[in-house]
Amino acid sequence: MAKRVSLSGNEAVAFGMKQINPDVVAAFPITPSTEVPQYFSQFVANGEVTTEFVPVESEHSAMSACIGAAAAGGRVMTATASAGLALMWEVLYVAASMRTPMVLAVTNRALSGPINIHNDHSDSMGARDSGWIQLYGENAQEAYDNLMQAVRIGEHPDVQLPVMVCYDGFITSHAVENLEMLDDADVKAFVGEERKAPFALIGQEPVSMGPLDLPNHYFEHKRLQAEAMKNAKKVILEVAAEYEKLTGRKYGFFEEYKMEDAEAAIVLINSSAGTAKTVVDALRAQGKKVGLIKVRVFRPFPVEEIAEALKNVKAVAIMDKVDGFNAAGGPLFNEVVSAMYGKADGKIVQNYIYGLGGRDVTTYNFEEVYSNLFNAIETGKYEVYNYIGVRE
Amino acid sequence: MPNLKELSAKKVRLTGGHRMCAGCGAPMVVNWILKALKDDEKAVISNATGCLEVSTCLYPYTAWKDSWIHTAFENAAATGSGAEACYRAFQRKGKVNDTYKFIAFGGDGGTYDIGLQSLSGAMERGHDLLYVCYDNGAYMNTGIQRSSATPFGADTTTSPAGKVVPGKQQFRKDLTEIMVGHHIPYVAQSVPVIPGTKYMFDLYNKAEKAFSIKGAKFMNVLTPCPRGWRCDTATELDVVKAAVETCFWPLYEVENGVYKLNYKPAEKKPITEWLKLQGRFKHLLKPENEHIVAKIQEEVDRRWERLLELCGEK
Ligand SMILES: Cc1ncc(C[n+]2csc(CCOP(=O)(O)OP(=O)(O)O)c2C)c(N)n1
Ligand code: SF4
Ligand SMILES: [Mg+2]
């Protein structure tokens, strides 16, 4: 039987990792992710897992050791945030291209500089094109559920890719919430006792991994990698369906909140969705047709599905908790708008950069955004590229 | 003393089908290290980016008979440590029966410089891993740039011998001593097999010893690169021999903290014997650069005397 517990996001992830009992965890501390390796090393010290914990000297080595362990055939996990993820950057691409599945829990935190330990999405958004699958979660429950599903998605024979499980630093990582955890036995049954690698450094036949790939092969290998990311779309939904049978909790590429007849919609990622939903409820009570889309799967990006979900709105605000510094909009904005092209044309689209470096995001912010959208619908006048919650 | 006939009969684990330059020392070093593995032992080899890596595994070919992995330049130790950790997890779960040895190969760039942190971390954590640095004294793969292993005065493409600056202006880092400072079970400095010398099997013996010891091991092997050293491929081993006989590259090992000098030349040769065989030092032998040679000699002497003391030879 599943059990109700009160845990922080980091605790939920660490306890989930304990239930999964991977072969290797290699990690390095960084706020606000530190608790994950701390809790996990305690499980190791108490003999509650059979995992080899590798307390590496940097995140670059954490990711390198994870690749080595996954290449050896193991089930592998790690956790990091912000500068730690940035330091992994070079080898993130290697993990994806070597097709070594593993799970990386990212507690989203602003990137330096200036140094700032609080939440925004600049870290994982900076790694969005590294070839990793990216799942985002609003709260501790979703972080836990995504962790479980990530193992299955990444290890699927048609995918074989590493997966990031992202949740907001402090807001989700440190706040204690009620959630439902699976039974240990159910976790074992769901993720499987062990990873089944198609080939590995430790295996029947010796293998060479990570060759020099010249122009006559490199492109084909990249093409295969891209295909795996496409395959992941189907697998993500299959795994979600199986998980729903087990838990009753439904997951897809994104969550649609009161979107059926919405005229004005917000699209965003992670914990701010909670605040935005209360605003949706309040405005709905006033008879305003507002809705919300919370993106769960950013890589692969659900292009057709997002366009379909937005095809009946009049105006949409896409909100980025990261700046693209391209003078033309954040990454979520660019993805959503290009998804809409030709499938949901003629809409008013706005981009809002919000909440950088842990700036509070309040109900007033969302009220303002919806009000701007309705204003734009009425007058036809609006700015595309906006900042909200910042002193100008 | 190992039997040469027996050793040559051992299976070759790095085959000849690679693209290293003719006369490159790196594959010789690798093969002699791998010969020290027992026939029934399997190996997982982690390789840093560099000449050895780019030339031995070009898709869809591999020259390696054992499992081999390359991920990046600075992380051969960390990558190997992850594979080794996985092996321990598999052993604990009864998932693996074969005996595996874990080896990492890196050039001096991948080891002394960009990979030093990763190496230090893996050694400090005590992984059951032998890290071998094939030190050819520069970043050869990218076209002979200076590294912290490049000897003083050497002409490289980023420490060129110019009209004002006569080559590299720093003495080489003593990485072997840095590794001794990690207090790991075994650290050794060696050279490739040079027939006819007293230390012909030094490399093999040290590798064999390293494989018999559990824990983190480090070997630093002076490895000729005829291209970068600008020396003759036919006589390159004479250059290495000169490194030993001039005490530029002493052969020693440190087992559980105890130093042992493996070879003491009857008569220490002047450093010019090593310098004069290589084009990269040619400019130093001009009369106006005598003082530079004297400075190099002084540093070689200082390091040698210190080592003699550590080895209890004084
Ligand atoms: C992070 C990174 N920086 C730089 C390079 C370029 N690079 C590849 S190999 C190499 C030099 C290798 O030198 P060394 O380790 O001494 O090996 P050698 O080529 O001499 O065998 C350099 C600079 C790289 N591949 N990765
Ligand atoms: S450049 Fe030097 S190190 Fe590289 S393959 Fe040629 S001889 Fe070997
Ligand atoms: Mg080199």
Side-chain angles (χ1 to χ4, degrees):
Chain A
M1 268 306 290
K3 45 186 180 288
R4 299 289 305 173
V5 289
S6 290
L7 295 175
S8 72
N10 280 345
E11 284 172 331
V13 165
F15 282 116
M17 286 167 68
K18 179 173 119 182
Q19 292 181 302
I20 292 164
N21 191 19
D23 293 300
V24 175
V25 169
F28 191 82
I30 181 166
T31 306
S33 148
T34 308
E35 291 174 332
V36 176
Q38 275 178 353
Y39 290 128
F40 200 84
S41 57
Q42 194 66 51
F43 303 146
V44 174
N46 293 339
E48 295 172 82
V49 289
T50 54
T51 310
E52 271 298 319
F53 178 67
V54 189
V56 281
E57 83 301 329
S58 72
E59 290 88 350
H60 193 285
S61 286
M63 187 41 55
S64 303
C66 284
I67 298 170
R75 179 174 279 162
V76 178
M77 292 186 158
T78 184
T80 194
S82 182
L85 188 64
L87 189 58
M88 287 179 179
W89 200 76
E90 177 196 27
V91 265
L92 288 176
Y93 283 73
V94 178
S97 73
M98 209 177 269
R99 310 289 296 277
T100 41
M102 65 180 77
V103 178
L104 164 55
V106 179
T107 45
N108 285 111
R109 165 184 156 181
L111 279 181
S112 297
I115 188 167
N116 174 301
I117 60 168
H118 296 282
N119 169 246
D120 69 30
H121 301 156
S122 51
D123 49 6
S124 60
M125 281 298 159
R128 68 186 181 276
D129 296 333
S130 59
W132 284 60
I133 292 167
Q134 288 192 332
L135 307 179
Y136 288 83
E138 179 183 331
N139 48 37
Q141 181 74 68
E142 293 190 5
Y144 175 87
D145 291 343
N146 282 343
L147 183 84
M148 294 298 161
Q149 295 174 66
V151 177
R152 287 284 304 279
I153 296 164
E155 291 180 10
H156 192 283
D158 298 341
V159 179
Q160 299 286 320
L161 286 174
V163 187
M164 283 181 208
V165 171
C166 310
Y167 52 102
D168 283 347
F170 290 114
I171 302 164
T172 303
S173 68
H174 283 61
V176 175
E177 298 171 41
N178 293 325
L179 68 141
E180 206 168 88
M181 271 178 76
L182 291 172
D183 262 0
D184 292 358
D186 284 342
V187 170
K188 283 233 151 55
F190 182 74
V191 300
E193 194 71 48
E194 61 188 44
R195 182 182 150 215
K196 297 205 169 31
F199 53 84
L201 297 172
I202 298 174
Q204 266 338 77
E205 293 298 321
V207 289
S208 287
M209 295 176 76
L212 175 67
D213 220 14
L214 296 176
N216 55 344
H217 291 293
Y218 181 89
F219 202 174
E220 280 70 25
H221 287 143
K222 285 297 169 191
R223 182 66 190 82
L224 285 168
Q225 189 185 326
E227 201 56 24
M229 190 56 96
K230 284 189 185 170
N231 296 344
K233 278 188 75 172
K234 185 164 163 267
V235 172
I236 286 167
L237 294 183
E238 286 168 4
V239 171
E242 206 182 307
Y243 197 74
E244 188 185 352
K245 272 201 200 121
L246 188 63
T247 63
R249 290 187 293 278
K250 192 173 169 58
Y251 285 93
F253 295 130
F254 47 82
E255 180 192 338
E256 290 179 72
Y257 190 73
K258 307 202 172 165
M259 282 297 292
E260 308 78 40
D261 59 343
E263 291 176 356
I266 285 179
V267 182
L268 50 58
I269 284 177
N270 273 10
S271 66
S272 306
T275 317
K277 282 175 193 170
T278 61
V279 175
V280 170
D281 292 345
L283 294 176
R284 282 274 173 184
Q286 298 167 22
K288 299 221 168 83
K289 292 185 173 170
V290 293
L292 174 86
I293 291 179
K294 181 187 75 187
V295 175
R296 171 186 180 232
V297 180
F298 190 73
R299 288 288 180 266
F301 195 73
V303 173
E304 293 83 14
E305 295 81 359
I306 280 266
E308 177 66 24
L310 290 169
K311 74 169 195 273
N312 294 322
V313 302
K314 291 181 176 158
V316 55
I318 297 134
M319 301 188 59
D320 276 286
K321 220 174 190 177
V322 53
D323 200 335
F325 299 113
N326 56 357
L332 184 61
F333 176 72
N334 291 333
E335 299 277 345
V336 173
V337 169
S338 76
M340 290 167 74
Y341 183 80
K343 300 189 200 85
D345 288 331
K347 315 286 180 200
I348 292 164
V349 286
Q350 286 195 299
N351 184 205
Y352 288 88
I353 309 290
Y354 74 107
L356 299 192
R359 175 61 50 88
D360 261 351
V361 188
T362 65
T363 52
Y364 301 118
N365 296 141
F366 293 113
E367 282 164 8
E368 189 183 330
V369 171
Y370 281 119
S371 150
N372 291 350
L373 289 175
F374 281 116
N375 203 35
I377 294 169
E378 257 166 53
T379 65
K381 286 195 201 115
Y382 60 95
E383 290 288 328
V384 174
Y385 188 40
N386 306 277
Y387 289 82
I388 192 157
V390 67
R391 291 184 292 274
E392 295 283 359
Chain B
M1 180 118 162
N3 178 322
L4 192 57
K5 230 184 181 164
E6 265 172 45
L7 286 180
S8 20
K10 279 193 100 161
K11 76 171 178 183
V12 173
R13 290 179 182 240
L14 173 64
T15 65
H18 56 69
R19 299 192 188 185
M20 311 289 287
C21 302
C24 179
M28 304 196 278
V29 168
V30 169
N31 257 323
W32 277 99
I33 300 257
L34 298 182
K35 267 190 201 298
L37 288 167
K38 299 196 180 78
D39 285 341
D40 60 349
E41 284 171 341
K42 293 185 169 184
V44 172
I45 295 161
S46 164
N47 201 167
T49 312
C51 274
L52 177 68
E53 169 267 325
V54 299
S55 312
T56 53
C57 187
L58 281 88
Y59 188 86
Y61 306 108
T62 183
W64 299 89
K65 294 285 189 193
D66 292 286
S67 274
W68 176 93
I69 181 169
H70 160 256
T71 58
F73 187 16
E74 66 279 50
N75 61 354
T79 304
S81 80
E84 188 267 352
C86 190
Y87 177 55
R88 271 188 281 155
F90 282 179
Q91 278 182 317
R92 189 171 312 136
K93 293 175 182 169
K95 270 175 72 175
V96 59
N97 297 317
D98 294 319
T99 304
Y100 279 86
K101 296 285 179 187
F102 292 81
I103 311 164
F105 289 107
D108 48 295
T111 310
Y112 283 67
D113 289 345
I114 198 166
L116 183 62
Q117 173 183 317
S118 168
L119 169 67
S120 176
M123 295 286 111
E124 182 271 336
R125 293 193 299 276
H127 292 275
D128 191 12
L129 172 99
L130 169 63
Y131 191 106
V132 181
C133 174
Y134 67 98
D135 176 357
N136 52 26
Y139 305 158
M140 298 308 179
N141 184 53
T142 38
I144 323 172
Q145 293 83 29
R146 62 92 82 187
S147 76
S148 60
T150 303
F152 192 99
D155 177 27
T156 74
T157 55
T158 51
S159 65
K163 288 199 180 99
V164 181
V165 185
K168 193 193 173 199
Q169 288 305 291
Q170 298 80 22
F171 288 104
R172 49 176 289 280
K173 185 192 279 179
D174 194 342
L175 181 64
T176 309
E177 284 304 297
I178 292 171
M179 297 323 294
V180 172
H182 283 66
H183 296 275
I184 53 179
Y186 190 67
V187 176
Q189 192 161 282
S190 189
V191 287
V193 170
I194 311 175
T197 59
K198 283 197 175 127
Y199 38 89
M200 174 170 173
F201 288 112
D202 190 76
L203 182 63
Y204 175 83
N205 289 337
K206 285 173 175 168
E208 196 178 42
K209 185 182 275 185
F211 287 133
S212 75
I213 297 170
K214 210 170 160 54
K217 288 89 54 175
F218 175 81
M219 287 173 63
N220 202 359
V221 188
L222 184 70
T223 304
C225 162
R227 192 166 148 259
W229 291 10
R230 279 178 273 152
C231 65
D232 198 358
T233 51
T235 53
E236 66 185 19
L237 288 178
D238 293 339
V239 184
V240 180
K241 193 171 154 189
V244 177
E245 301 294 336
T246 59
C247 301
F248 170 82
W249 191 267
L251 306 179
Y252 72 105
E253 62 194 336
V254 184
E255 202 180 335
N256 295 317
V258 182
Y259 277 79
K260 186 176 169 199
L261 192 67
N262 305 110
Y263 174 73
K264 193 174 179 179
E267 181 204 344
K268 179 161 158 254
K269 296 266 166 54
I271 195 63
T272 42
E273 296 296 305
W274 150 256
L275 300 175
K276 72 178 187 197
L277 300 174
Q278 303 170 66
R280 61 177 171 159
F281 299 124
K282 196 168 156 221
H283 58 290
L284 298 180
L285 301 176
K286 291 181 187 155
E288 66 268 27
N289 284 333
E290 234 171 57
H291 65 286
I292 298 174
V293 174
K295 192 171 155 180
I296 294 171
Q297 183 68 62
E298 204 179 299
E299 183 63 13
V300 168
D301 293 348
R302 192 185 67 77
R303 293 190 187 192
W304 172 245
E305 292 301 319
R306 184 177 170 272
L307 182 66
L308 287 179
E309 242 168 68
L310 289 167
C311 294
E313 297 276 340
K314 268 176 66 165

